[in-house]
Amino acid sequence: MSNILFLDIETTGFSTDWDFILEIAAEIVSDAGHVVGQFHELIRPGKPIPMKIVELTGITNAQVADCRSERE
């Protein structure tokens, strides 16, 4: 049997020069379709989240205000 890892990363945009990670989430699913592991963390970006990204992801500046930064 093998497992499949599903990984999702949300960012403030598409540039590696000036955009930041907002969220990392992952699930490991067995061949039988059962979730056997999960991870989820919001991350405080190094700049305010653009409104377009808030609308797209549902992640707000208030939600990430007390989270760890990328560097942490």
Side-chain angles (χ1 to χ4, degrees):
M1 292 202 161
S2 62
N3 295 327
I4 299 172
L5 171 68
F6 293 92
L7 178 66
D8 181 46
I9 298 175
E10 301 294 345
T11 65
T12 59
F14 295 110
S15 173
T16 57
D17 292 328
W18 58 79
D19 286 308
F20 296 87
I21 296 172
L22 290 175
E23 177 183 39
I24 299 174
E27 280 192 342
I28 300 172
V29 179
S30 71
D31 286 338
H34 299 110
V35 176
V36 296
Q38 291 182 317
F39 174 83
H40 175 261
E41 185 166 351
L42 291 173
I43 299 168
R44 185 181 72 248
K47 69 176 190 178
I49 303 170
M51 186 51 63
K52 180 178 177 182
I53 301 300
V54 171
E55 292 169 358
L56 182 66
T57 65
I59 301 169
T60 66
N61 288 297
Q63 288 176 296
V64 298
D66 295 326
C67 296
R68 296 189 295 173
S69 68
E70 281 185 28
R71 186 170 291 285
E72 292 174 291

